[in-house]
Amino acid sequence: MIGRLTGILLEKQPPQVVVDVAGVGYEVDVPMSSFYNLPATGERVSLITHFVVREDAQQLFGFLTHKEREAFRALIRISGVGPKLALSVLSGLSVDDLAQCVVMQDAGRLTRVPGIGKKTAERLLLELKGKLADALPTGPGGAPTSAGVAADALNALLALGYSDKEAVPAIKQLPEGLSLEESIRQALKLLAKK
């Protein structure tokens, strides 16, 4: 219903901001990743939004990037994850970090987010698998970063017939900065030793 707000940033009190759009002040909850990158109060701001209507409340959530909103929407589609918990996840982890956690099945990083226990982290990893592929970071010129290379190498190992339980630990052992080909080659060497 409300997809974007553009106006003057009136107030900033984490995690909420107030944006004046043509004389109407909208209260918007934003993740800390967006909050830290907002302009100063009194300046113009544009937020991509997600509007939630419930019996007892109407809430507006704002994001600086489409990737953040898509990650938020993917999180709230998971049973038991509401908007506040999704906002907490995106405040504790960037979208790129969340995507990397999902690819590497790293529940440990997710459990550091307030409100996320071990079981919830494991459920998030399972439910988000394959849903944040577009969020994997790319470097200059669209070249994949180490998280994107790790995801591609993992998919290659899975396509070769290795299970998640075999492939994920091998990928986790690889050093940063390898090319995709070198990542696959070294992971295969590690798997051959077992």
Side-chain angles (χ1 to χ4, degrees):
M1 181 171 197
I2 299 172
R4 177 184 294 271
L5 286 179
T6 300
I8 304 301
L9 186 60
L10 292 181
E11 296 176 26
K12 289 168 60 172
Q13 294 179 345
Q16 197 170 75
V17 298
V18 176
V19 179
D20 180 324
V21 180
V24 178
Y26 289 90
E27 290 181 350
V28 185
D29 288 341
V30 296
M32 295 311 291
S33 54
S34 286
F35 190 88
Y36 294 134
N37 294 308
L38 288 172
T41 55
E43 292 188 27
R44 193 163 180 78
V45 68
S46 187
L47 295 172
I48 300 152
T49 60
H50 180 84
F51 188 51
V52 175
V53 178
R54 296 190 329 229
E55 271 185 36
D56 59 341
Q58 294 182 14
Q59 296 174 295
L60 194 57
F61 297 90
F63 311 92
L64 287 176
T65 67
H66 286 282
K67 280 187 353 179
E68 282 183 316
R69 184 175 69 176
E70 291 311 309
F72 177 82
R73 287 177 171 173
L75 284 163
I76 63 173
R77 283 187 199 108
I78 298 171
S79 176
V81 176
K84 292 290 185 186
L85 186 57
L87 207 63
S88 182
V89 170
L90 292 176
S91 291
L93 294 170
S94 70
V95 177
D96 295 341
D97 289 341
L98 178 60
Q100 187 172 12
C101 282
V102 172
V103 167
M104 303 305 285
Q105 294 294 292
D106 186 359
R109 284 176 70 187
L110 274 175
T111 57
R112 292 186 212 130
V113 174
I116 304 281
K118 187 176 183 203
K119 285 186 179 183
T120 304
E122 289 170 354
R123 190 171 80 246
L124 289 176
L125 293 175
L126 180 67
E127 296 273 345
L128 290 173
K129 196 170 191 177
K131 293 183 180 165
L132 294 178
D134 294 341
L136 284 171
T138 56
T145 61
S146 58
V149 169
D152 290 344
L154 178 62
N155 288 333
L157 293 177
L158 295 174
L160 290 170
Y162 289 99
S163 70
D164 272 347
K165 289 182 180 181
E166 296 168 315
V168 170
I171 297 295
K172 283 183 179 180
Q173 292 178 42
L174 298 177
E176 296 272 329
L178 295 177
S179 68
L180 176 59
E181 295 78 16
E182 190 59 31
S183 295
I184 295 169
R185 189 175 300 116
Q186 287 195 23
L188 288 170
K189 284 181 185 177
L190 289 169
L191 288 165
K193 292 178 183 176
K194 291 184 177 184

